[in-house]
Amino acid sequence: MKKIVVLMGLLALATWLQADPVAAPKTATPVKPAEKEEPPIPGIVIARSTGDGKQLGLTIVGGSFKLSFFDRKRKAIPVDVTRARLNWQSKQRAIPDQTVLNVLDGGKALGGGKPVRPPYVFVLRIALLNGEGNDEQAVENYVVNVTDDVLKLK
């Protein structure tokens, strides 16, 4: 019985001595297919609460807000609301500012309204609205922290 244990020990020692300690076992690394880079959404990106991956892009163009609509692949899509109401507290005024954005850019964005004066550091409340006149209802609401660097303004 002792001879078998000794032989097994010698066999294990011989195997260990023959192993190349520098060479690590080679493993196959999976090759990932090249991913297509998604186009960027300008300004502040807001994930919509609809649950289907749609997004909003908030920018300030020509001194006014512009709200663009995008699908999950970041492609511009038609606006699916009537208008948007925006409220914010400017540092220059004691009372809150507000504006209404209407459809523009061939139906792919909401924009226009009251000019926004810098500095762009405030909390913005966005209500997306459907309907006309007295039948108008807020269908989605968002709160966004707006700053110059988040808007990517130069």
Side-chain angles (χ1 to χ4, degrees):
M1 182 74 178
K2 287 184 182 182
K3 289 182 184 179
I4 294 176
V5 172
V6 172
L7 286 174
M8 292 295 282
L10 288 174
L11 183 61
L13 180 63
T15 306
W16 180 72
L17 289 175
Q18 289 179 350
D20 187 4
V22 177
K26 295 185 179 184
T27 58
T29 55
V31 178
K32 293 182 181 177
E35 294 180 19
K36 292 182 181 176
E37 192 170 312
E38 295 177 343
I41 294 177
I44 299 173
V45 179
I46 304 166
R48 292 189 67 182
S49 60
T50 55
D52 53 5
K54 292 181 180 177
Q55 300 171 334
L56 301 171
L58 177 71
T59 56
I60 296 177
V61 177
S64 297
F65 286 112
K66 180 179 177 184
L67 195 59
S68 304
F69 290 69
F70 299 90
D71 64 9
R72 88 168 56 108
K73 294 182 180 179
R74 297 179 170 226
K75 293 183 182 174
I77 59 171
V79 173
D80 58 358
V81 295
T82 309
R83 62 181 50 108
R85 183 177 57 241
L86 282 62
N87 299 305
W88 70 98
Q89 179 65 51
S90 173
K91 292 196 184 268
Q92 292 90 6
R93 297 185 51 169
I95 59 173
D97 286 312
Q98 67 179 4
T99 189
V100 174
L101 305 182
N102 293 304
V103 178
L104 54 92
D105 286 347
K108 293 200 176 183
L110 298 174
K114 182 179 191 175
V116 185
R117 295 185 300 177
Y120 302 122
V121 180
F122 49 82
V123 175
L124 179 68
R125 289 166 183 81
I126 302 170
L128 299 181
L129 309 170
N130 265 336
E132 294 290 332
N134 292 337
D135 296 331
E136 192 171 71
Q137 295 180 356
V139 291
E140 296 174 45
N141 293 296
Y142 303 97
V143 178
V144 179
N145 288 322
V146 176
T147 59
D148 289 332
D149 58 335
V150 175
L151 283 170
K152 299 173 182 108
L153 297 175
K154 293 174 175 74

